[in-house]
Amino acid sequence: ETGVTQSPTHLIKTRGQQVTLRCSSQSGHNTVSWYQQALGQGPQFIFQYYREEENGRGNFPPRFSGLQFPNYSSELNVNALELDDSALYLCASSLTGQDTQYFGPGTRLTVL
Amino acid sequence: QQQVKQSPQSLIVQKGGISIINCAYENTAFDYFPWYQQFPGKGPALLIAIRPDVSEKKEGRFTISFNKSAKQFSLHIMDSQPGDSATYFCAASRGGSYIPTFGRGTSLIVHP
């Protein structure tokens, strides 16, 4: 059984660019959630996907968008990057109806 | 609005000592309270979790104490070890949402 994996590990972009982050959920998990973790802070919920549809969203602007694919993997897209988007982006997978989430190692995004 | 308040921000303990981290929540609809452990460069990993129908849960050296009337819960690490040095996050989620709200984290250092 493989855990949650994310790619890339690190990424450097400039302000105004667009970025796509990827996540493969733990085997059998059909729900994927994305979080933004700023330095020294707890993870902040961005959105959750279930059955390829957004199933809840935190307080993030529309330039943060996502996809979930039939194999439950997921993408997080961020358009018009801002300096404050620099953070660790975490993906977590879970089974629908269960509270426990399993986190991936994250993607460290730096916006210059 | 910070729905889950965590303290202290940092904690230094000697090997063999007891580490205590406290959290308080505001939303009485929360019914699942996990603690996560995060090492540098890694995603958070579930350590232990509790529901409000019990006042204490113990797993090995880790214990959660829960006070429903005070809306507080705490993590106790007995016989703290240098390998426990990490950042600890409390979280809370409400039934049906399965989306945790995280505290800001506690950086624990255990000196040998």
Side-chain angles (χ1 to χ4, degrees):
Chain A
E1 178 181 293
T2 57
V4 178
T5 60
Q6 293 186 242
S7 63
T9 305
H10 297 88
L11 202 53
I12 299 175
K13 292 285 188 178
T14 56
R15 192 170 49 185
Q17 285 189 311
Q18 177 267 344
V19 68
T20 297
L21 310 181
R22 295 178 174 83
C23 170
S24 292
S25 62
Q26 186 164 317
S27 178
H29 286 185
N30 54 13
T31 301
V32 174
S33 302
W34 285 92
Y35 295 82
Q36 180 193 66
Q37 186 177 20
L39 199 61
Q41 301 292 321
Q44 296 291 316
F45 173 69
I46 302 175
F47 43 56
Q48 183 181 84
Y49 276 83
Y50 170 63
R51 287 188 175 180
E52 303 176 51
E53 298 215 352
E54 189 177 289
N55 183 40
R57 188 179 184 92
N59 189 26
F60 280 81
R63 59 188 185 85
F64 286 78
S65 63
L67 286 171
Q68 186 183 31
F69 301 99
N71 66 353
Y72 306 138
S73 66
S74 178
E75 288 182 355
L76 164 65
N77 299 288
V78 187
N79 294 320
L81 284 167
E82 301 177 359
L83 297 179
D84 285 348
D85 295 334
S86 295
L88 181 68
Y89 287 85
L90 296 163
C91 168
S93 73
S94 59
L95 283 171
T96 300
Q98 294 192 8
D99 292 294
T100 303
Q101 298 196 343
Y102 297 87
F103 284 83
T107 293
R108 172 70 64 185
L109 172 65
T110 301
V111 182
L112 302 176
Chain B
Q1 180 186 6
Q2 187 182 357
Q3 294 195 60
V4 179
K5 296 182 180 180
Q6 183 172 346
S7 63
Q9 185 174 350
S10 61
L11 182 61
I12 299 175
V13 175
Q14 292 298 316
K15 179 182 176 180
I18 302 174
S19 304
I20 302 175
I21 304 171
N22 301 298
C23 283
Y25 63 97
E26 299 170 1
N27 189 341
T28 55
F30 287 149
D31 67 352
Y32 179 70
F33 302 88
W35 283 89
Y36 286 87
Q37 179 188 56
Q38 185 176 28
F39 292 105
K42 304 290 185 182
L46 180 66
L47 195 59
I48 186 173
I50 198 169
R51 295 193 184 276
D53 54 344
V54 297
S55 60
E56 186 175 284
K57 182 174 182 180
K58 182 177 181 180
E59 291 184 1
R61 297 185 294 109
F62 301 92
T63 300
I64 298 179
S65 296
F66 186 84
N67 186 329
K68 187 174 181 179
S69 60
K71 293 188 287 184
Q72 295 176 348
F73 58 110
S74 60
L75 175 69
H76 295 234
I77 306 175
M78 311 300 288
D79 187 26
S80 299
Q81 299 297 312
D84 297 331
S85 298
T87 300
Y88 292 81
F89 294 95
C90 63
S93 62
R94 59 180 177 84
S97 80
Y98 312 111
I99 298 169
T101 298
F102 285 83
R104 290 189 173 179
T106 296
S107 174
L108 171 65
I109 297 174
V110 181
H111 283 311

